[in-house]
Amino acid sequence: MGKIYVNNMMFYGYHGVLPQETALGQRFNVDLVVEVDTKQAGETDNLTYSVSYADMYATCKRIVEGEPYKLIEAVAERIASELLAEYALIDVCHVKVIKPDPPIPGHYHSVAVEITRSRQ
């Protein structure tokens, strides 16, 4: 097995519980790690035996910039379930959704949710 990392993808979405989050929107970052059998791709240098970074990015972009959710847990869940459904080569999917500027008084750092989902 191998791992493919797609780190620090940045998007603009309208997810949140508070009215200003869904009205104004905000930045979201996504880190993605997928576990794939990379042996054949490495031996053949053929993308057919791996998963395209660009395609995974496009899936994450469509979800984060699409339908608004109240919770970033739901955003992460949707990303994981769609990646597992779209790419048969992915065995395990780790998704971290980061909200860099949460509207918490006196809080000037990020919050995040990280999940792991697999085919089993």
Side-chain angles (χ1 to χ4, degrees), residues 72-116:
I72 58 175
E73 290 89 332
V75 176
E77 197 67 48
R78 178 82 185 269
I79 290 170
S81 66
E82 288 208 20
L83 288 173
L84 286 167
E86 288 179 30
Y87 307 102
L89 294 174
I90 297 175
D91 291 319
V92 180
C93 185
H94 308 270
V95 179
K96 183 176 183 181
V97 177
I98 304 154
K99 187 184 282 195
D101 302 303
I104 301 170
H107 182 82
Y108 300 101
H109 300 285
S110 65
V111 296
V113 170
E114 185 172 7
I115 66 168
T116 299

Side-chain angles (χ1 to χ4, degrees), residues 44-57:
T44 64
D45 195 27
N46 187 334
L47 182 58
T48 304
Y49 303 111
S50 191
V51 182
S52 164
Y53 315 138
D55 291 346
M56 289 190 291
Y57 173 89

Side-chain angles (χ1 to χ4, degrees), residues 12-14 19-26:
Y12 199 87
Y14 294 84
Q20 69 264 30
E21 293 178 292
T22 57
L24 301 174
Q26 59 196 303

